[in-house]
Each structure stands twice: as structure tokens, then as C-alpha cells.
């Protein structure tokens, strides 16, 4: 449905988006995940035709953003990180105003506002001033605003940012409900957010894609990778590497944080099998004092940190 082709946006020396390409399928909830400054907002602004790319393009249903910005905007609802709300307006008046801009007639307007009030759970605040609402309610009003034109595609920039845990769950529930009918692209810098809401994640770092995977696949890969942390006295790294490196399933033997004559070593295992017995057998043949031996499985959080760490 959406095809991103070799897209770049440069601000002088800064490559906010640096040659990215991927596709978004109809009906998908796609999480655009990355640390602050990764280029998520820049990408969303290009997708919603508020910003021109430096190079490359995006096609939405085969329409090019460069030549068909108006048609594409009509297909999309956009909730920027700071929703464009007027604090002095009542929620109902604000939504009526948005409906007018979208060109809805009187009857359609009434029906649509009723529908959105139910979908976004804002019925009880329709006659309150926006400025008096909690951040969670403001965000739901923002969501209703983005959906006024009944868009096929919803683009949500950090929709749960700044919300408390209860408000986060409420917004996620609403997004999942909407996602049954629409294509949603949401950005977040929190992995658990993507995990809870999205079907697929595209992880970006410094303007580039570093991973693109269905959430389920990411989770399945987790049980297969583990790290065994070891610590020894009377051992050196080269000897440990020579003893443990050849064991089937060992992918890497790297130094850990050693001090006071204690050698710390991290062994990365890439196998579904438990190879601790083989590792222990290899250690037992040596004249080392084993001080520590524990296995930990990778979490999604670890993967995200590895993919987006500084260097
Ligand atoms: P955040 O989560 O903090 O909003 P982000 O992933 O959305 O981050 P962007 O806001 O797209 O990232 O920014 C990507 C990079 O481009 C950053 O280094 C940012 O400083 C830079 N940048 C964004 N907008 C501009 C601009 N108008 N002029 C110059 N640099 C910009």
C-alpha cells in the first residue's frame, strides 16, 4: 500500500533520513521505532506531505508524494507529537470545526462526531474546554481529529508520549481497535510500546533502517540466543577463546568487564540447545578457577539497545 523508495532528507550536514526503503502493507500496524533524533518525525512529515525529501520518494497506492500530495493527504490522518489543539475551545466545538474543514455536511458531521466520540472514548468530555483535559484525554481528542476524514491510513507520532501508565493502556486499546480497519504507522522510542501495539517494527537509527521484522519473529529469535557470563582467575582471554570458541553453537567469546585480576568473558550462543554442559566440560579440563557462570537470554530491549547503540 505504501512504498518508501531510497528516501533521504538532509538538513545541511545532518542526514535525518538517509536512504531508507521499505513497504507498509494494507491493514498493518507498523511501529517506527528508534531513539530520539533517529529521523522518525522527519519521515512522518514527508509521508504526510508536509516536508519534501532531499532524494527518493514514497508511493501511496501508486501515487507519488511529489505529484499527488493533495490526494495522499486526503487518505491520511496525522497526529503530530504535539496535537494541534485549541485549549479555549470545547471538545465538541473543536471537532465540529475540524469536520467543517474536512467539508462534511451537517448530517455527516453529527454522525461522524458521535462515532468518533465512541471510538476514542471522549463522550464524557465533549462539553469541556480542551485546556482543562488531562493529557490522556487531549491525546484522544487529537486522535479523533486525525480520524475525522475517515482516512485509510493513520500516522501517529509518539501517541503515548508523556502519558501515565493507565492513559497509555487506554490509548493502546483505542489504537488496536482502530487498527482492525485501518493501516496505522506509529512512531515510538519505547520498544514495549511497539511490542504491545504493532504487528511489525521497522527500527531506525541515525536515519537508517537497522531492522525490519514482524514482532512475532523478533520474539521467536529470542529463545535461540543467549549470553553466558563467565569469570575466571588464572586465565587469559586467548586461552579461553581457544577452549570455548570451537564448541558448536558458540558464536563469539568476548571480554567482559574484568578487574582485580579477574577475567570476565561473555560467550554468545546461537543455538536452541542448552550448551552449558559442553562449556563446563571444556572449562574443567583447564587449570582455571571458575568464579562465575550464568546464562541470560536476550530480551527485546537488549536487541533494540544493540541495534541503536552509539557506535
Ligand atoms: P524524536 O523522537 O526526538 O522526535 P525523531 O526520531 O523524530 O526524534 P527527527 O525529529 O526526525 O527524529 O530528527 C532527526 C534529526 O534531524 C535530528 O538530528 C534533528 O536534530 C534533525 N532535524 C530535525 N528537524 C530539523 C530541522 N528543521 N533543521 C535541522 N535539523 C533538523
Amino acid at each position: 500500500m505504501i512504498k518508501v523508495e531510497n528516501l533521504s532528507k538532509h538538513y545541511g550536514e545532518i542526514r535525518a533520513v538517509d536512504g531508507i526503503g521499505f513497504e507498509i502493507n494494507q491493514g498493518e500496524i507498523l511501529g517506527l521505532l528508534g531513539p530520539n533524533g533517529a529521523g522518525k518525525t522527519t519521515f512522518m512529515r514527508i509521508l504526510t506531505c508536509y516536508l519534501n525529501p532531499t532524494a527518493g520518494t514514497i508511493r501511496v497506492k501508486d501515487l507519488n508524494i511529489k505529484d499527488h500530495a493533495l490526494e495522499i493527504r486526503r487518505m491520511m490522518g496525522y497526529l503530530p507529537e504535539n496535537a494541534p489543539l485549541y485549549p479555549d475551545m470545547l471538545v465538541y466545538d473543536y471537532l465540529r470545526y475540524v469536520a467543517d474543514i474536512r467539508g462534511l455536511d451537517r448530517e455527516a458531521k453529527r454522525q461522524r462526531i458521535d462515532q468518533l466520540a465512541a471510538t476514542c472514548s471522549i463522550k464524557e468530555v465533549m462539553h469541556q474546554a480542551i485546556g482543562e483535559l488531562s493529557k490522556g484525554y487531549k491525546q484522544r481528542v487529537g486522535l479523533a481529529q486525525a480520524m475525522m476524514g475517515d482516512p485509510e491510513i493513520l500516522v501517529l507520532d509518539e501517541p503515548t508520549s508523556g502519558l501515565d501508565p493507565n492513559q497509555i493502556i487506554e490509548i493502546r486499546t483505542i489504537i488496536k481497535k482502530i487498527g482492525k480497519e485501518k493501516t496505522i504507522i506509529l512512531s515510538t522510542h519505547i520498544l514495549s510500546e511497539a511490542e504491545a501495539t504493532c504487528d511489525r517494527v521497522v527500527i531506525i537509527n541515525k536515519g537508517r533502517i537497522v531492522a525490519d521484522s514482524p514482532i512475532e519473529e523478533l520474539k521467536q529469535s529470542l529463545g535461540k540466543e543467549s549470553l553466558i557470563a563467565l569469570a575466571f582467575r588464572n586465565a587469559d582471554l586467548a586461552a579461553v577463546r581457544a577452549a570455548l570458541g570451537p564448541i558448536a553453537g558458540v558464536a563469539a567469546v568476548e571480554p567482559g568487564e574484568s578487574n582485580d585480576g579477574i577475567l570476565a568473558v561473555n560467550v554468545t550462543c546461537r543455538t536452541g540447545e542448552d550448551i552449558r554442559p559442553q562449556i563446563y566440560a571444556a572449562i574443567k579440563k583447564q587449570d582455571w578457577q571458575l568464579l562465575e557462570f550464568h546464562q541470560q537470554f536476550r530480551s527485546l530491549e537488549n536487541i533494540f539497545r544493540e541495534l541503536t547503540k552509539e557506535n
Side-chain angles (χ1 to χ4, degrees):
M1 182 177 206
I2 300 175
K3 204 167 178 188
V4 181
E5 297 173 343
N6 206 12
L7 192 78
S8 294
K9 176 72 187 178
H10 301 168
Y11 296 106
E13 293 288 291
I14 298 172
R15 293 166 179 254
V17 173
D18 194 9
I20 61 172
F22 62 100
E23 290 189 25
I24 303 165
N25 305 311
Q26 184 151 14
E28 197 166 45
I29 305 184
L30 179 97
L32 204 59
L33 183 65
N36 290 336
K40 305 179 295 291
T41 299
T42 303
F43 168 75
M44 290 187 150
R45 292 177 64 85
I46 299 173
L47 175 64
T48 49
C49 307
Y50 284 97
L51 201 62
N52 287 321
T54 308
T57 193
I58 304 178
R59 286 173 207 283
V60 180
K61 289 187 150 184
D62 278 333
L63 300 177
N64 191 314
I65 45 163
K66 191 163 147 265
D67 306 317
H68 299 277
L70 263 184
E71 289 109 301
I72 290 175
R73 273 198 198 177
R74 261 187 227 120
M75 284 186 235
M76 287 197 191
Y78 179 34
L79 178 63
E81 200 174 346
N82 297 305
L85 302 173
Y86 298 98
D88 294 335
M89 275 179 123
L90 302 183
V91 173
Y92 183 79
D93 291 345
Y94 171 68
L95 292 179
R96 216 173 42 179
Y97 163 72
V98 175
D100 284 339
I101 296 176
R102 287 277 174 180
L104 270 66
D105 67 31
R106 209 183 147 85
E107 188 46 33
K109 189 160 58 182
R110 202 185 51 74
Q111 275 184 14
R112 189 80 191 121
I113 293 176
D114 279 356
Q115 228 174 33
L116 288 173
T119 309
C120 300
S121 309
I122 48 173
K123 272 187 184 157
E124 59 276 28
V125 296
M126 289 305 265
H127 299 287
Q128 283 189 35
I130 291 173
E132 292 169 6
L133 301 180
S134 66
K135 180 115 205 273
Y137 269 114
K138 281 189 188 134
Q139 203 63 339
R140 291 192 235 168
V141 173
L143 209 51
Q145 164 277 132
M147 289 175 62
M148 185 59 76
D150 197 15
E152 290 176 58
I153 304 162
L154 261 183
V155 180
L156 312 174
D157 198 352
E158 309 239 358
T160 58
S161 150
L163 303 187
D164 73 30
N166 290 332
Q167 294 168 335
I168 288 177
I169 290 170
E170 283 157 11
I171 286 280
R172 279 182 190 163
T173 310
I174 295 170
I175 292 173
K176 289 210 99 160
K177 190 162 70 179
I178 300 168
K180 294 205 170 97
E181 288 165 16
K182 308 205 177 284
T183 304
I184 299 183
I185 299 124
L186 67 86
S187 74
T188 174
H189 58 270
I190 305 161
L191 183 76
S192 54
E193 177 70 38
E195 191 188 347
T197 325
C198 304
D199 306 316
R200 188 178 131 215
V201 279
V202 168
I203 304 181
I204 59 171
N205 190 35
K206 295 183 183 158
R208 296 187 164 208
I209 294 180
V210 291
D212 177 351
S213 168
I215 286 278
E216 276 312 309
E217 267 177 35
L218 266 187
K219 282 187 185 163
Q220 277 165 17
S221 74
L222 295 180
K224 298 195 183 95
E225 268 195 36
S226 63
L227 192 91
I228 296 177
L230 303 168
F232 304 100
R233 221 186 277 280
N234 294 338
D236 69 80
L237 183 64
V240 175
R241 277 198 164 131
L244 307 186
I247 296 171
V250 169
V253 180
E254 300 293 344
E257 279 180 32
S258 301
N259 52 35
D260 292 338
I262 295 173
L263 174 73
V265 175
N266 293 324
V267 180
T268 308
C269 305
R270 293 218 175 97
T271 169
E273 286 166 40
D274 182 1
I275 58 169
R276 283 176 298 178
Q278 291 88 315
I279 290 179
Y280 182 63
I283 293 170
K284 232 167 71 173
K285 286 186 196 153
Q286 309 292 332
D287 192 20
W288 305 326
Q289 276 176 33
L290 179 62
L291 302 178
E292 191 181 322
F293 189 129
H294 81 263
Q295 183 175 38
Q296 65 191 61
F297 286 91
R298 290 170 95 213
S299 65
L300 284 174
E301 214 61 57
N302 290 144
I303 296 187
F304 179 57
R305 278 219 306 275
E306 283 164 24
L307 289 170
T308 58
K309 67 185 169 195
E310 266 305 297
N311 298 304

